[in-house]
Amino acid sequence: MRAYASNSQHFSFFSFDLDPWNMGADELISIDPLELKFPFELKKQISSSFQLLNMTDNHVAFKVKTTNPKKYFVRPNNGIVLPRSTSNVMVTMQAQREAPPDMQCKDKFLVQSVVARPGATPKDITPEMFNKEAGNHVRECKLRVVYVSPPKPPSPVPEEPEEGSSPRAAEFENRYSNSSEFATVFRERVEVHDSATQARALFSKLTEEKNHAAQQIERLRRELELLRHGRTKSSIKVPFLYVVLIALLGILVGYYMTNS
């Protein structure tokens, strides 16, 4: 006899160990897989999932329990599987500080299922639905936990280039073999090229504006010189005219005095 605890409510129930892997013809749901495989890594949360398949024309309520509720987080830990449909359950193992001996795990999960009323929703699920003593026909299936080795990182050793390909092309291919990484690098190079093109165009425009401004300054300087030169001539002519007028005035005065 083994005790299981609900992942959401910390209470236990007892169930005789029937055949946990074989499912009879009257089972309500099929579970795949029957082993929860976790790629074990220290100090890291790891998730595994399984799928429930409702093989009947009824609404089926289910509940997931485990022998170690503080170690695992199950979502959803209960629910309704619609007729002839599936439901996925995600199990997350909390980060572990030390590895178990020989990487063996004794934790187990128990999935209970029972026929629910038509149109039932998860809000309609109650603990009494899974109470065998109340006469409910509760089906049960056990899942065991298996630790597997985490996936190995890709080898840093570059592959040999194909015959006829350049070493530079082979290096580029090995460096950016991942399509998303290649797309990112390619996009960055395009952006750099566009930025360089825009910089060159801006430099050319600034050079043209500089030359135009220099031409305008030279034109204004010449006009200023012409204005200064004209003012000098005017200042010379004014005294000369003044002298002529004084002379004419003196002649007229002398002529007038002589005649008088």
Side-chain angles (χ1 to χ4, degrees):
M1 201 171 346
R2 185 182 298 274
Y4 289 83
S6 169
N7 190 265
S8 61
Q9 301 177 9
H10 296 286
F11 62 89
S12 300
F13 74 96
F14 295 92
S15 172
F16 290 103
D17 285 334
L18 303 178
D19 187 353
W21 312 121
N22 297 325
M23 302 183 64
D26 62 339
E27 291 297 334
L28 300 176
I29 56 176
S30 172
I31 302 177
D32 182 50
L34 293 177
E35 289 183 347
L36 291 176
K37 295 183 179 181
F38 292 91
F40 189 88
E41 294 185 57
L42 290 176
K43 300 180 181 180
K44 183 178 180 181
Q45 283 191 347
I46 310 168
S47 296
S48 183
S49 64
F50 61 91
Q51 187 179 73
L52 306 177
L53 170 63
N54 184 353
M55 303 177 293
T56 71
D57 295 323
N58 303 312
H59 286 64
V60 175
F62 71 90
K63 176 180 286 187
V64 182
K65 297 182 178 182
T66 177
T67 56
N68 197 344
K70 294 183 179 181
K71 183 177 177 181
Y72 300 96
F73 183 75
V74 182
R75 281 294 177 270
N77 55 8
N78 60 41
I80 298 291
V81 187
L82 300 179
R84 304 294 175 180
S85 63
T86 61
S87 179
N88 293 321
V89 178
M90 179 67 66
V91 180
T92 301
M93 182 176 65
Q94 303 300 325
Q96 301 297 301
R97 295 184 179 181
E98 56 183 15
D102 301 328
M103 293 296 289
Q104 298 296 320
C105 182
K106 297 180 180 180
D107 300 335
K108 287 182 172 57
F109 285 81
L110 181 72
V111 180
Q112 293 179 298
S113 59
V114 65
V115 175
R117 64 174 177 81
T121 66
K123 294 181 179 180
D124 300 323
I125 297 176
T126 61
E128 289 75 14
M129 296 175 62
F130 302 93
N131 187 359
K132 292 182 178 180
E133 296 179 358
N136 297 323
H137 192 185
V138 181
R139 280 79 163 183
E140 297 179 346
C141 183
K142 296 178 183 178
L143 288 74
R144 67 190 188 97
V145 176
V146 178
Y147 292 153
V148 296
S149 300
K152 295 182 179 179
S155 175
V157 180
E159 297 180 358
E160 293 293 331
E162 296 181 1
E163 186 177 356
S165 62
S166 64
R168 185 177 182 84
E171 179 184 358
F172 187 84
E173 182 180 357
N174 292 331
R175 186 176 180 182
Y176 304 113
S177 57
N178 185 275
S179 58
S180 60
E181 183 180 359
F182 175 81
T184 302
V185 173
F186 181 77
R187 182 168 59 252
E188 291 177 353
R189 291 194 174 187
V190 171
E191 291 176 355
V192 170
H193 181 268
D194 293 342
S195 300
T197 303
Q198 293 177 1
R200 286 194 295 268
L202 180 61
F203 181 77
S204 299
K205 184 177 180 180
L206 291 175
T207 302
E208 292 178 359
E209 292 180 355
K210 177 183 176 182
N211 295 335
H212 180 71
Q215 293 175 1
Q216 293 293 329
I217 292 173
E218 181 65 21
R219 184 175 62 83
L220 291 174
R221 188 183 64 80
R222 291 178 181 177
E223 291 180 356
L224 181 61
E225 290 293 332
L226 290 175
L227 288 174
R228 289 178 179 176
H229 187 67
R231 287 180 181 179
T232 303
K233 288 184 177 181
S234 298
S235 62
I236 295 174
K237 290 180 180 180
V238 170
F240 178 76
L241 291 175
Y242 180 76
V243 171
V244 171
L245 290 174
I246 293 298
L248 289 175
L249 182 61
I251 293 172
L252 290 174
V253 171
Y255 179 78
Y256 177 76
M257 294 179 65
T258 303
N259 290 333
S260 60

